[in-house]
């Protein structure tokens, strides 16, 4: 094989390994089941002609675009490679070797990894039997911590603590302890359950609200996340903004997504409706799930671990050491596949 043929073969192999945009069995990463919006795809295709050019030195235009959309001053927004990138910036800017970070258990897989990278000491607080945070225990643990994480909705259970309880929790946390309020899935929650981010960070300057375009917006492959905080806090975080660190595609995709928000919200409604359908059908089979408000359902452990129940089914779901499982909400085909496997396994 010639060198040119070998290179072409490698390229073809890499292209062939790309995940399919629509895969009803890919239910492990809480990805959006829909391919990119037409307007987003059109913008991204057009951007190909300029990939020989650098993006902005610092992503000021993207920062301004997001700030205008959510209704906060632009100096209160920071950007990162997904929500994890924003969290990493927070830890790099505001913590020191050996500081403590408090989080629930189980939680988003990225938090223990990021804590290890930042060389922090993780302290975990178990969720209660309903998959909710024990906010009193979390606040107690945070008394000796530099950072505390609160996911709302929580990953992997999808549960949401009432706003009044979140406020009570925040009042208990010391002003010099950074609170990461992870809202990666907030678009799937009801409007009445959301907390106004601008008002929140004005009242609690130690809070950083973390969001992403990976879930509801369906842009996981582009790695776009942002944080909202007080001007004092975000000023420190902006010093960790990587030069040329946000691709031009990020700006174009976000702008196109905002312009097509009506279509995007329709997709969100379809996903939340499918979540309710899946929960209802599982409940009819005698399978309990947590009160999820995200784009997934969580099945607590039973007499058999869900990894055993679903083994060999072809379903790609996230399993947990306690026997529980998190299943991304996909299309109706995805739901029917899950229900069929569960029915056969438990029947």
């Amino acid at each position: 094989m010639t060198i040119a043929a070998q290179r072409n073969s490698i390229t073809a192999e890499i292209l062939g390994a790309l995940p399919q945009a629509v895969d009803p069995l890919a239910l492990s990463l809480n990805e959006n089941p829909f391919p990119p919006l037409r307007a987003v795809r059109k913008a991204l295709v057009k951007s190909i002609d300029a990939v020989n050019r650098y993006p902005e030195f610092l992503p000021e235009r993207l920062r301004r675009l997001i700030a205008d959309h959510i209704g906060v001053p632009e100096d209160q927004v920071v950007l990162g490679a997904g929500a994890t990138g924003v969290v990493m910036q927070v830890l790099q800017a505001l913590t020191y070797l050996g500081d403590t970070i408090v989080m629930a258990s189980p939680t988003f897989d990225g938090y223990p990894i990021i804590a290890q990278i930042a060389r922090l000491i993780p302290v975990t607080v178990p969720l209660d039997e309903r998959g909710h945070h024990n906010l009193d225990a979390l606040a107690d643990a945070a008394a000796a911590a530099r950072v505390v994480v609160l996911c709302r909705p929580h990953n992997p259970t999808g549960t949401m603590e009432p706003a009044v309880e979140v406020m009570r929790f925040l009042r208990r946390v010391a002003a010099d302890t950074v609170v990461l309020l992870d809202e990666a899935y907030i678009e799937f929650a009801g409007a009445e359950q959301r907390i106004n981010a601008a008002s929140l960070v004005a009242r609690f300057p130690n809070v950083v609200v973390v969001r992403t375009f990976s879930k509801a917006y369906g842009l996981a492959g582009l790695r776009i996340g942002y944080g909202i905080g007080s001007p004092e806090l975000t000023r420190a975080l902006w010093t960790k903004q990587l030069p040329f660190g946000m691709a031009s595609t990020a700006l174009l995709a976000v702008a196109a997504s905002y312009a097509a928000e009506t279509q995007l919200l329709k997709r969100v409604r379809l996903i939340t409706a499918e979540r309710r359908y899946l929960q209802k059908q599982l409940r009819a089979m005698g399978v309990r799930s947590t009160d999820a408000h995200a784009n997934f359902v969580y099945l607590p452990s039973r007499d058999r671990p869900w990894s055993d129940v679903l083994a060999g089914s072809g379903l790609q779901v996230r399993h947990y050491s306690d026997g529980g499982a998190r299943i991304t909400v996909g299309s109706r085909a995805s739901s029917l596949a899950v229900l069929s496997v569960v029915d056969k396994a438990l029947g």
Side-chain angles (χ1 to χ4, degrees), residues 172-197:
R172 287 196 57 196
V173 176
D176 60 351
T177 296
V178 179
V179 180
L180 287 171
L181 182 60
D182 186 329
E183 292 191 339
Y185 300 92
I186 196 63
E187 291 87 358
F188 298 104
E192 73 284 356
Q193 296 172 304
R194 303 180 193 182
I195 300 172
N196 183 278

Side-chain angles (χ1 to χ4, degrees), residues 231-246:
E232 297 77 19
L233 211 54
T234 52
R235 191 177 302 119
L237 301 183
W238 193 252
T239 65
K240 301 298 181 181
Q241 199 71 53
L242 189 66
F244 302 119
M246 299 295 293

Side-chain angles (χ1 to χ4, degrees), residues 107-180:
T107 190
F108 167 51
D109 298 337
Y111 280 115
I113 297 170
I114 296 170
Q116 184 179 35
I117 293 172
R119 297 189 291 179
L120 304 182
I121 300 171
V123 172
T124 58
V125 177
L127 300 175
D128 67 20
E129 65 279 359
R130 298 176 301 118
H132 281 266
H133 287 89
N134 182 337
L135 291 180
D136 285 333
L138 201 67
D140 289 342
R146 176 58 177 148
V147 180
V148 59
V149 180
L150 175 62
C151 299
R152 187 177 185 270
H154 187 61
N155 181 5
T157 58
T159 51
M160 286 189 76
E161 311 315 325
V164 64
E165 293 185 19
V166 172
M167 294 300 177
R168 186 169 66 87
F169 163 76
L170 293 175
R171 286 194 295 270
R172 287 196 57 196
V173 176
D176 60 351
T177 296
V178 179
V179 180
L180 287 171

